[in-house]
Amino acid sequence: MRQIAIAFLAGMALATPVLGQSVGPGGAATPSAVTAPSGRAVRAARAPVVDGRLDDPAWADAPVLGGFVQHEPMEGRPATEPTEVRFLFDGEALYVGAWMYDSDPAGIVVGEARRDVDLSNLDSFLLVFDTYRDGQNAFVFGTSPAGVEFDGQVTREGEGGFGGNINTRQTRGSGGGLNINWDGDWTVRTSRDERGWYAEFRIPFSTLRYAGGSPQTWGFNASRTLRRRNERSVWSPLPREYSLYRISVYGTLEGIEPPVRRVAAVTPFGLMSVAKDYTGDIIMPPSVDASFGADAKLGLTPSLTLDLTWNTDFAQVEVDDQQVNLTRFNLFFPEKRPFFLENAGTFSVGTPETVELFFSRRVGIGPDRREVPLLGGGRLTGKVAGMTLGFLDIQADSRPGVAANNFGVVRLARDLPGRSRLGVIAVSRLNTDSTADYNLTYGLDGRLGLGRFVLFDGYAARTETPGRTGPEHALNLSGSYAGRTWFVGAAYREVGRDFNPEVGFLSRGDSRFTSLRVLRYIRMPESSVLKELRPHISYREYFGFDGFSETRLIHFDTHFDFRNGAFFQLPAFNLTREGLRAPFEISPGVVVPAGTYDNQEIGFTYNTNLGAPVSVQGRIDVGGFYSGRRVGTSSTLNVRQGKTVAALRLTLDDVHLPQGDFTTTLVGLKLAYSFTPGMYLQSLVQYSNQARTVQGNVRFGWLSRAGTGLFLVYNDIERTGANRGPEQRAFIVKFTRLLDLN
């Protein structure tokens, strides 16, 4: 192993230096620091008609923002096709006109016409507004030639991922990064002709949050994807090592005069369902249920918003993708309920999908993972005197086996210069019928940025749960250097035995964790079909507090990025360890004895050009597994033809152990047809031999404002195996509507 590591690191260090540079016009290296541009919005005497044609006279008076430069593949070079953007505003909204000229309009990749579709694999255009100009948080609005609506909220500079990339975006209800599950109230229309395609946006000021005063200057950037060339261009130049959401290096948009008028809206919903449960000893007749509820939004100031909920919408029209679990630890599923999504990043403290001090999906979900009705509550979020604040209080009802509980969160944070911040959080669950049943979580978190490349993160937390006497703490320290040719990151985390964030998420407790990652970026010449190589080595390990090694991974790998968007890695070589203190039933009747299991495995990850009509992506792993061997794959076939999109996913693990052999199989088929950007038909069928079920979901959506509208849903769960037959069936009709009260 030592010889492998030495050879690997030597190869990274000795890579030809010129390949690690960004090549600019004429073959010169692009400077890493550039001057951020500035643009201006002007008041419109008459609001333009939002039809996507951009022929209103008002647009002729607006200054042009042009000069887009490539972010990929040739950083700093002028974009191969020109893009122009203009801004207008009136007392109600901000208007954006975008001209995406194209010398080959027949080559425009239109793609799927569905809200929040993955824009990275289509021709697309994105706007990002840092309305508070704090360099860390922003609103995102985007579209494609089909006129789709893509929106989200960015916190902590996105924490990775380019705009609209469904594989890297952050979608957790209480997490940081890019929360695309947030749906704002805005409008976009598009058109095409022989010169290219065009987009016209109307973004009401009531959809945005901003500080008081007028005129204002916002941080701003825009991005265009030209998919057939795998080209991303930006208005404000952006070093290639950063994602679009590196807000601290944005240009500015000046002259905006937002009104002091405050948002006042209500979103009522009505739901009727007919369901039948076949799991009891006595099969009961179908149950018919009707429920009504509402969310309200009140702007106390332009930067402070009060949200109220009554009989909270549980997003019954959404379904989770199933996952295969061959570990001893918890899986993570994202939040999808509308009330919890806006400003969700305000409450984000912890390590994503590992330790979350607050995870909103725990609110209203019982220990048996079944819904607990939420009677109502409120949330206050925004900025006051430079402080980001968040208050949340929700009252849950009782049901058999689950007591009524009150859930509360208090969050205060201050964003500091240089990508730094400091914050505190307190989370509570209180049984409203018993003062002896409660759970409290307290946390302190911070971030320190040193220059462009160095970042330190950390948090410390403690919980209180009656009856627990062991260590109830968690802490995390991490640091990274993210330069143009090297990335180095390290982390240390420990979680006490009785640390118990009941309104958070914890994948595994009673452990210490260390990690180290070293990666080299090697940029290839323009004449090469390869765009970039990324050799890297990483190490991570979980220990018990007594020093017992529970899980270890030492990983050697090189990524190959092609200019057309394809990707593969050399077979990754992994040295793995699993330490079991007690026997572990990994599959029914298959018990792995206690002990330490050291193994080796190789893995291969790949994808073809995901912008093509037909593409394939996935991973294959082969090697040792506990006391035996495993061959596993998780692969997806994607097909896009006009308005129809299909994705067939196969996850397969073939495991051979001395204690017994077993195979886990998960097959999922998604089909979607978009009649218009606001009307679609989707289906998802999933078979899991681990869950011994086939689950089917068919959904028709007719959207209006902010993702509201009419939904018709049919759900069917069928048991497989010896007890095959229906388990649950339900038909749901749901209608929700955004109503302005101003």
Side-chain angles (χ1 to χ4, degrees), residues 17 151 228 324 355 686 712:
D151 53 10
R228 69 179 181 276
V324 173
V355 180
Q686 302 179 92
L712 306 177

Side-chain angles (χ1 to χ4, degrees), residues 320-326 330-334 353 649 651 666 686 688 690-691:
D320 290 313
D321 287 336
Q322 292 192 48
Q323 303 179 42
V324 173
N325 190 2
L326 295 179
N330 296 327
L331 297 177
F332 184 92
F333 293 90
E353 302 187 18
R649 176 172 63 111
T651 300
L666 175 60
Q686 302 179 92
S688 171
Q690 195 176 42

Side-chain angles (χ1 to χ4, degrees), residues 532-610:
E532 185 175 72
L533 303 179
R534 294 190 299 275
H536 58 274
I537 181 172
S538 59
Y539 155 82
R540 55 179 177 163
E541 188 161 8
Y542 285 90
F543 296 92
F545 282 85
D546 58 0
F548 180 74
S549 177
E550 298 178 348
T551 301
R552 176 194 291 167
L553 172 67
I554 301 174
H555 171 78
F556 304 89
D557 193 6
T558 298
H559 292 173
F560 291 75
D561 270 346
F562 290 81
R563 295 196 181 277
N564 70 349
F567 164 87
F568 76 87
Q569 63 179 165
L570 282 177
F573 179 67
N574 297 326
L575 301 174
T576 66
R577 169 176 289 180
E578 288 294 336
L580 299 181
R581 297 177 184 270
F584 167 46
E585 186 175 25
I586 192 170
S587 184
V590 180
V591 179
V592 182
T596 296
Y597 300 94
D598 290 317
N599 285 294
Q600 301 175 5
E601 68 176 12
I602 59 173
F604 178 69
T605 303
Y606 65 93
N607 66 256
T608 61
N609 177 6
L610 297 178

Side-chain angles (χ1 to χ4, degrees), residues 355-469:
V355 180
E356 299 269 11
L357 302 192
F358 173 67
F359 178 42
S360 59
R361 186 151 175 159
R362 298 293 193 205
V363 178
I365 303 295
D368 55 2
R369 298 185 180 181
R370 292 174 54 200
E371 174 185 326
V372 179
L374 299 181
L375 299 178
R379 177 185 63 227
L380 181 67
T381 54
K383 291 205 172 189
V384 175
M387 294 286 294
T388 298
L389 60 86
F391 299 95
L392 175 70
D393 187 84
I394 295 288
Q395 181 62 48
D397 201 356
S398 62
R399 64 168 172 79
V402 179
N405 281 278
N406 179 269
F407 299 88
V409 189
V410 177
R411 170 69 166 158
L412 295 173
R414 179 177 287 277
D415 293 324
L416 303 171
R419 300 182 291 136
S420 302
R421 72 169 188 279
L422 186 65
V424 295
I425 190 170
V427 186
S428 67
R429 178 199 59 80
L430 307 175
N431 184 329
T432 54
D433 296 324
S434 172
T435 58
D437 179 17
Y438 64 88
N439 176 260
L440 304 175
T441 302
Y442 312 98
L444 170 70
D445 68 300
R447 167 177 286 188
L448 176 63
L450 300 177
R452 292 177 54 206
F453 304 125
V454 179
L455 194 64
F456 294 97
D457 262 300
Y459 62 84
R462 186 180 186 278
T463 61
E464 292 184 19
T465 308
R468 297 205 174 200
T469 59

Side-chain angles (χ1 to χ4, degrees), residues 725-737:
E727 183 171 307
Q728 291 180 343
R729 290 173 179 167
F731 179 72
I732 300 170
V733 179
K734 178 179 177 180
F735 182 76
T736 179
R737 182 80 173 180

Side-chain angles (χ1 to χ4, degrees), residues 457-505:
D457 262 300
Y459 62 84
R462 186 180 186 278
T463 61
E464 292 184 19
T465 308
R468 297 205 174 200
T469 59
E472 294 189 75
H473 72 282
L475 63 89
N476 183 85
L477 297 172
S478 64
S480 64
Y481 170 86
R484 295 181 62 77
T485 56
W486 288 93
F487 173 87
V488 181
Y492 172 80
R493 180 171 64 251
E494 69 176 50
V495 179
R497 182 181 69 250
D498 279 346
F499 182 72
N500 180 36
E502 291 186 5
V503 198
F505 178 81

Side-chain angles (χ1 to χ4, degrees), residues 68 85 125-128 220-224 233-236 244:
F68 278 59
V85 187
F125 180 74
L126 280 165
L127 303 160
V128 190
F220 169 71
N221 208 348
S223 166
R224 176 184 176 182
S233 58
V234 290
W235 173 70
S236 182
L244 175 62

